[in-house]
Amino acid sequence: MEDLFVYNSLSRKKEKFEPITKGFIGMYVCGPTVYSDVHLGNVRTFMSFDVIYRYLLYLGYKVRYVRNITDVGHLTDEGEDKMSKGAKKDKLEPMEVAHKYTVGFHDMMQLFNTHSPDIEPRATGHIIEQIEMVQQILDNGYGYESNGSVYFDTINFMKDHPYGELSGRKVDELLVETRDLKNQSEKRHPSDFAIWMKASDDHLMKWNSPWSVGFPGWHLECSAMSTKYLGKNFDIHGGGNDLKFPHHENEIAQNVGACKCSPANYWLHTNMLLMNGKKMSKSDGNTITPTQLFTGDSPHVTKGYDPMVIKFFMLMAHYSSTIDLTDDGLQAAEKGYKKLMEAIKVMDSLSTTSTAGSLDEEINGTLDAILKDMSDDFNTPKVIASLFELVAKINGLKGGQLDINNISTPCLERMKKTIHDFVFDVMGLKDELSGDSSSKYLDGLMSLIIDIRQSSRANKDWGTSDKIRDTLNELEIKIKDGKDETSWSLN
Ligand code: AMP
Ligand code: ZN
């Protein structure tokens, strides 16, 4: 099996990946909190882990990929439970909120053509396991009860084990966990964190426990569910790098505190999605929903983009780099994506009878690089750069600058297989833009209508341009005039 190297956030080094059991991989990724619509940042993280999952399968590993659904709310800074907040906002049962946004999340991930995980456990379905883990932590002397809540005793824990290794924080720097500010007085030390919380009377989601009617602490579900489905020690744990502290740091402490074993050997963290150079933020309007990006209905974009174009755009950056979402970047990705899909069609129609070719060495070198770069911490930008070297060759063959007789049959077949494997299986792209013949006709007709509308406006023929606008409105087709071009979308 091809050697695989991954950047391990725990050691802060790129390491050769060695699975615990030869041929098998256990991977846990922190899933979404389902109290509101999934946002593009979440999409980026889950898409990155989907490509990692797909590549591990491609390498021949049998992978058990577990991604949880957080359907127990975490406390917000204001001390209100996110799930209850969502329930109150929409006048729904908390479980209705969770169900609604879980369905929305699945639909969105399907639009981006990602695989389902092998197990998708819910926090509410694992309360018993979480209570057992709290008990184990208490039994081992790393927790204490205070007024019906149970806290992880970081000071006692640090007498026996390191704490803060993943985030690189020293104990004096360990931030007070802002999410349970209101319970500071119950804690022995500011860096202690809740593993069970006593619920107030108006709290919507609560369960019986030996300590109080309450609910598990934020970090506990992932410790309990990863242990249940992957064992005390498994291969890969992933999530966005905003989860390193406190969530993942505390997950490690809980697992060590309960099972005396560090959960994952390799910690992989994706970087954040920015927009126009700034963190996406609802409060200053610097945000766009996936749906707005599909339809183009946002001041941040001049047109709508297909989910595959957005995916291609995101894969042009390494998972550990930030991505700056810009309209220009998306337009460039759209051009690149179309060029790639067109070249693949041309490639599929090529055939040769040569047994040896002068272009073989170069093409095989690029194909080797694709595998090497993907095995070097899943370097999708380098893979895409190599794919474009091959696109240039394919276009050269099409245009007659290169001769197909200079490629041998085995080399051409290898190129076809590698490109198909990486573009469709590993990166999970689909040829969406060329579509089926009916959508091609539709695209052709729409660009004709847009041209007619433009020339009628240029000629001040308002009757024709109004008629086109009204008819398209009736058909619920929306036209958007951008800087350079006019686009259309279905409402
Ligand atoms: P949440 O639903 O907030 O628990 O987040 C689900 C996943 O999305 C976590 O792994 C987060 O780290 C990740 N995530 C949240 N915001 C962003 C962002 N702006 N860019 C990339 N990943 C993010
Ligand atoms: Zn988690």
Side-chain angles (χ1 to χ4, degrees):
M1 208 178 268
E2 171 82 13
D3 279 349
L4 175 67
F5 295 86
V6 299
Y7 181 82
N8 189 350
S9 308
L10 193 58
S11 63
R12 293 178 189 75
K13 279 202 291 275
K14 206 183 269 180
E15 294 175 15
K16 183 163 177 239
F17 177 76
E18 303 280 5
I20 295 166
T21 309
K22 194 167 177 278
F24 291 81
I25 293 179
M27 175 162 96
Y28 186 93
V29 172
C30 292
T33 310
V34 284
Y35 70 98
S36 63
D37 284 322
V38 59
H39 64 69
L40 272 170
N42 305 141
V43 168
R44 187 219 174 165
T45 286
F46 299 129
M47 193 190 285
S48 302
F49 284 105
D50 179 63
V51 172
I52 290 172
Y53 175 48
R54 284 165 173 271
Y55 190 57
L56 298 175
L57 293 174
Y58 172 83
L59 289 178
Y61 285 105
K62 190 160 182 335
V63 188
R64 180 181 290 168
Y65 171 23
V66 182
R67 186 185 64 204
N68 66 301
I69 294 280
T70 297
D71 57 355
V72 177
H74 307 151
L75 288 187
T76 63
D77 292 347
E78 306 85 54
E80 195 174 5
D81 182 287
K82 279 184 184 175
M83 204 64 68
S84 309
K85 210 171 172 177
K88 281 180 199 153
K89 186 182 88 194
D90 295 344
K91 294 198 171 34
L92 297 168
E93 276 289 318
M95 274 301 183
E96 263 180 295
V97 178
H99 184 72
K100 176 179 162 188
Y101 293 115
T102 304
V103 170
F105 167 64
H106 287 158
D107 289 349
M108 191 56 74
M109 294 321 290
Q110 207 162 9
L111 277 178
F112 284 100
N113 196 32
T114 61
H115 285 326
S116 267
D118 299 291
I119 305 179
E120 196 172 45
R122 294 165 162 274
T124 52
H126 297 77
I127 301 296
I128 290 170
E129 288 82 350
Q130 294 180 73
I131 291 175
E132 278 170 6
M133 203 162 206
V134 173
Q135 192 58 57
Q136 282 173 314
I137 293 170
L138 283 168
D139 292 347
N140 289 337
Y142 300 130
Y144 55 90
E145 192 196 329
S146 179
N147 192 27
S149 291
V150 182
Y151 292 92
F152 192 91
D153 187 337
T154 50
I155 301 301
N156 240 3
F157 181 74
M158 270 184 286
K159 290 178 189 156
D160 306 325
H161 306 280
Y163 176 60
E165 267 189 330
L166 180 70
S167 57
R169 290 176 196 231
K170 310 243 175 338
V171 68
D172 331 343
E173 298 161 11
L174 287 169
L175 289 179
V176 176
E177 190 185 345
T178 52
R179 288 169 199 247
D180 58 351
L181 265 180
K182 70 178 178 119
N183 296 314
Q184 283 312 323
S185 59
E186 294 176 358
K187 293 187 192 182
R188 292 185 189 158
H189 190 271
S191 61
D192 294 352
F193 55 91
I195 46 182
W196 185 264
M197 296 190 85
K198 182 178 168 181
S200 57
D201 289 345
D202 61 347
H203 202 90
L204 295 178
M205 293 176 110
K206 49 194 171 190
W207 293 265
N208 277 321
S209 81
W211 315 285
S212 63
V213 174
F215 54 96
W218 173 29
H219 319 297
L220 199 65
E221 60 178 277
C222 291
S223 286
M225 293 190 285
S226 64
T227 307
K228 173 158 179 158
Y229 296 109
L230 296 170
K232 290 177 185 171
N233 177 232
F234 54 93
D235 298 293
I236 298 174
H237 193 311
N241 67 8
D242 57 334
L243 296 188
K244 263 190 204 166
F245 185 85
H247 185 55
H248 290 161
E249 197 72 81
N250 290 349
E251 252 189 85
I252 296 176
Q254 290 165 162
N255 280 65
V256 176
C259 318
K260 303 205 163 54
C261 181
S262 186
N265 291 353
Y266 302 89
W267 285 82
L268 269 55
H269 287 101
T270 53
N271 214 325
M272 295 290 105
L273 180 72
L274 313 174
M275 189 162 69
N276 299 317
K278 285 189 292 180
K279 191 171 191 291
M280 264 199 199
S281 147
K282 275 189 190 157
S283 51
D284 59 14
N286 194 41
T287 182
I288 184 168
T289 64
T291 310
Q292 283 174 320
L293 201 48
F294 302 152
T295 59
D297 186 15
S298 157
H300 297 293
V301 286
T302 54
K303 63 196 277 299
Y305 295 94
D306 189 275
M308 286 303 111
V309 169
I310 302 164
K311 182 170 190 171
F312 188 65
F313 169 77
M314 291 192 183
L315 295 178
M316 283 162 73
H318 191 259
Y319 76 85
S320 64
S321 315
T322 53
I323 300 184
D324 190 14
L325 190 88
T326 62
D327 193 51
D328 287 349
L330 286 162
Q331 292 208 14
E334 187 173 74
K335 281 199 189 107
Y337 171 80
K338 279 184 183 163
K339 206 168 152 185
L340 179 62
M341 292 301 151
E342 274 154 25
I344 292 174
K345 278 203 206 81
V346 172
M347 173 183 76
D348 288 344
S349 68
L350 294 174
S351 62
T352 176
T353 51
S354 302
T355 49
S358 54
L359 291 173
D360 283 13
E361 198 182 326
E362 201 185 329
I363 292 175
N364 278 320
T366 310
L367 297 173
D368 292 343
I370 289 178
L371 193 67
K372 194 177 142 288
D373 289 329
M374 197 61 188
S375 294
D376 183 15
D377 199 25
F378 315 101
N379 200 326
T380 53
K382 277 196 170 172
V383 168
I384 291 173
S386 291
L387 287 171
F388 276 99
E389 281 177 26
L390 298 171
V391 166
K393 291 268 176 312
I394 295 164
N395 289 339
L397 292 165
K398 183 183 166 201
Q401 299 90 330
L402 296 174
D403 184 351
I404 189 69
N405 293 316
N406 291 330
I407 304 179
S408 70
T409 313
C411 180
L412 181 64
E413 290 313 311
R414 183 181 173 215
M415 175 160 86
K416 285 184 182 179
K417 178 157 178 17
T418 308
I419 291 186
H420 275 268
D421 283 351
F422 275 80
V423 171
F424 301 116
D425 294 345
V426 174
M427 297 202 288
L429 292 166
K430 286 195 293 188
D431 186 0
E432 289 292 57
L433 296 190
S434 57
D436 56 22
S437 52
S438 58
S439 71
K440 255 191 223 161
Y441 284 126
L442 188 59
D443 282 340
L445 286 172
M446 279 308 299
S447 70
L448 178 68
I449 291 168
I450 288 170
D451 284 349
I452 296 172
R453 175 175 165 267
Q454 237 120 17
S455 49
S456 60
R457 283 165 67 163
N459 297 333
K460 299 199 166 34
D461 173 4
W462 306 121
T464 305
S465 82
D466 286 353
K467 183 160 193 250
I468 290 173
R469 187 200 56 211
D470 294 344
T471 312
L472 292 178
N473 268 345
E474 273 166 33
L475 292 169
E476 299 199 341
I477 295 175
K478 206 163 87 181
I479 294 231
K480 185 160 178 181
D481 293 306
K483 256 196 318 231
D484 304 320
E485 59 175 342
T486 300
S487 60
W488 66 277
S489 60
L490 297 177
N491 253 346

